[in-house]
Amino acid sequence: MSTKIVIGAQWGDEGKGKIIDILAQESEVVVRSSGGNNAGHTVEADGVEYKLHLVPSGILNPQTLCIIGTGVVVDPKALLEELEMFESRGINTDNLKIDYRAHIIMPYHTVLDGLMEAARGKGDIGTTKKGIGPCYMDKTERIGIRFCDLIDEEEFISRTKANVEIKNKIITKIYGGEPLCADEIIKEYLGYAQRLKKYAADTTVLLYNAIKEGKKVLFEGAQGTLLDIDLGTYPFVTSSHPITGGVCVGTGIGPTMIDECIGVMKAYTTRVGKGPFPTELFDEVGDRIREVGHEYGATTGRPRRCGWFDAVISKFGVRTSGLTTIALNKLDTLAGIPVLKICVAYKKGDEIITEFPASLKELAKCEPVYEELPGWNEDISGIRKYEELPLNVRKYVERVEQLCGAKVGMIGVGPGRHQNILR
Ligand code: GDP
Ligand code: IMO
Ligand code: MG
């Protein structure tokens, strides 16, 4: 078997897209298992940049079968736009399959995402407003519309009519919004169904057979560990399971079929949206990291909050996903900062906390405990061998590995496909 999961071990945007694209060169199947078009995965291949939201990052490799698994929430309009973008750039998308069980993002989900955020006022989550949370809410409420329902006209019409009636009450009576027209939605979505039905498949069978045949399968995580609905900084999280456990649920594959779990981290920490962030920097170092690292959201364009590497959260990522390897990206971005800090624990009064707390109230009382490491001035973006990295870079990598408790097997020194060091 050769199956690898790649997940984000921080708050998302760790550079998963780049790692998937590198590993996809030798993978026969690439699978998305959770989230939706809240994700923004950047791939830079041969100097051309692509931002992927729903389509698996293996699409650039024509030989790779790309699967949108059961746990993904699919906005058909956004998906079609993304497919058109690829086709217009000469990339064939025929090798995409979408599972019958994947839930569909409906217009009332997007409308409610916006209204619910506005109603939260200052306590808003800072969602991407793509309808992700409301779609997962309907899934667990058991009134969701799945891909198999979208491509079954009769089923789609009856489910949509029933749902729009309920949602319009919520939209107008609770949130004071404008009602939606079921007939218009039906007309629009049946058009999408016509265009998307050729991609429909029971991907759980395709995947099972591919793994049994010994094919190389890559599972592409979305979001990040601290955004997990169970394990993240609740309620400032997304509504799915970005951890490795979520991959099994979101693809219909058992845990015994997974060989390797790779966690992607940045050499510092970023977060987009609201919620706690213990090592956040509000000074010129944070601004410098944002500018040098181009830390602006791939989906919403929002500036990302930047801070020092937090080993408490990264260790949490290693533990909760059983990570076997770390891919540490963006070491090049830290060049020129004379002294680098790594958070090794939190301090709450006189107490030293080494495990990430569940309660945000507890977390708010925590101050980071920093260890200082010497920086480097060298441009490392052209280096391809670990031994050729400056000593201080290697010291930094080795300290991260020691603190997190997993081997750093890949090191990112730039956004390009080849700007990666295998160790
Ligand atoms: P994802 O959501 O985890 O796929 O990450 P994003 O694409 O949202 O954000 C990561 C950003 O960092 C993208 O702009 C990547 O092109 C870029 N990137 C990834 N790895 C590296 C690296 O090692 N160095 C630099 N400078 N940029 C990187
Ligand atoms: P990738 O896959 C970073 C964040 C949002 C918000 C919270 C909830 O590119 O790493 P949602 O729209 O999901 O209900 O928003 O989750 N968020 C992400 N942050 N990277 C992502 O994806 C994210 N997907 C969602 O900013 O804080
Ligand atoms: Mg992203």
Side-chain angles (χ1 to χ4, degrees), residues 16-17 32 39-43 50-53 57 220-223 298:
K16 298 176 289 295
R32 268 283 301 269
H41 296 179
T42 316
V43 170
Y50 300 89
K51 290 200 186 296
L52 297 97
H53 301 286
S57 299
E220 173 172 3
Q223 288 73 54

Side-chain angles (χ1 to χ4, degrees), residues 149-397:
D149 307 319
L150 174 68
I151 57 177
D152 174 336
E153 191 169 324
E154 198 184 327
E155 193 67 24
F156 184 71
I157 292 173
S158 77
R159 283 177 183 269
T160 303
K161 282 190 171 160
N163 281 2
V164 170
E165 199 181 324
I166 303 169
K167 300 296 176 185
N168 272 347
K169 284 186 192 148
I170 301 172
I171 289 170
T172 57
K173 298 197 172 144
I174 299 183
Y175 295 107
E178 292 296 317
L180 298 172
C181 171
D183 289 339
E184 273 174 26
I185 296 173
I186 289 167
K187 189 165 170 253
E188 180 188 344
Y189 270 58
L190 288 179
Y192 300 147
Q194 281 307 314
R195 293 168 67 193
L196 288 174
K197 67 180 179 195
K198 66 172 179 177
Y199 301 110
D202 185 339
T203 66
T204 65
V205 176
L206 294 180
L207 256 176
Y208 185 80
N209 290 340
I211 296 172
K212 282 285 177 195
E213 285 164 22
K215 290 198 171 144
K216 291 186 174 139
V217 179
L218 198 56
F219 294 90
E220 173 172 3
Q223 288 73 54
T225 302
L226 276 297
L227 291 171
D228 186 279
I229 185 81
D230 276 326
L231 289 154
T233 42
Y234 192 91
F236 299 97
V237 292
T238 191
S239 301
S240 62
H241 293 288
I243 59 166
T244 52
V247 170
C248 291
V249 183
T251 58
I253 289 299
T256 51
M257 298 187 99
I258 306 296
D259 295 323
E260 205 181 327
C261 296
I262 302 168
V264 188
M265 300 176 188
K266 273 176 188 159
Y268 46 92
T269 313
T270 65
R271 166 160 213 176
V272 60
K274 301 277 184 75
F277 180 176
T279 61
E280 184 167 10
L281 287 164
F282 300 96
D283 58 8
E284 62 280 6
V285 180
D287 294 341
R288 182 198 163 103
I289 292 176
R290 185 175 311 102
E291 293 318 310
V292 176
H294 308 291
E295 294 296 354
Y296 293 87
T299 297
T300 58
R302 291 178 289 179
R304 293 177 181 147
R305 299 155 63 192
C306 299
W308 296 119
F309 187 86
D310 184 340
V312 181
I313 67 158
S314 301
K315 190 177 74 168
F316 180 79
V318 170
R319 172 162 65 80
T320 54
S321 274
L323 298 179
T324 48
T325 311
I326 295 170
L328 191 64
N329 275 330
K330 297 202 122 169
L331 271 156
D332 53 308
T333 302
L334 294 179
I337 302 174
V339 178
L340 299 170
K341 292 186 185 181
I342 292 183
C343 167
V344 294
Y346 301 145
K347 195 164 187 278
K348 195 182 81 181
D350 293 334
E351 200 185 341
I352 294 292
I353 312 251
T354 54
E355 300 297 346
F356 195 73
S359 155
L360 298 196
K361 233 169 151 180
E362 285 296 298
L363 188 59
K365 293 179 197 152
C366 290
E367 288 287 320
V369 177
Y370 286 116
E371 188 175 292
E372 294 189 346
L373 279 92
W376 57 89
N377 287 316
E378 296 90 335
D379 173 3
I380 59 170
S381 61
I383 296 179
R384 298 291 175 266
K385 285 197 180 120
Y386 186 70
E387 312 77 62
E388 290 173 11
L389 284 169
L391 179 65
N392 286 351
V393 181
R394 283 181 279 137
K395 276 188 179 163
Y396 191 87
V397 171

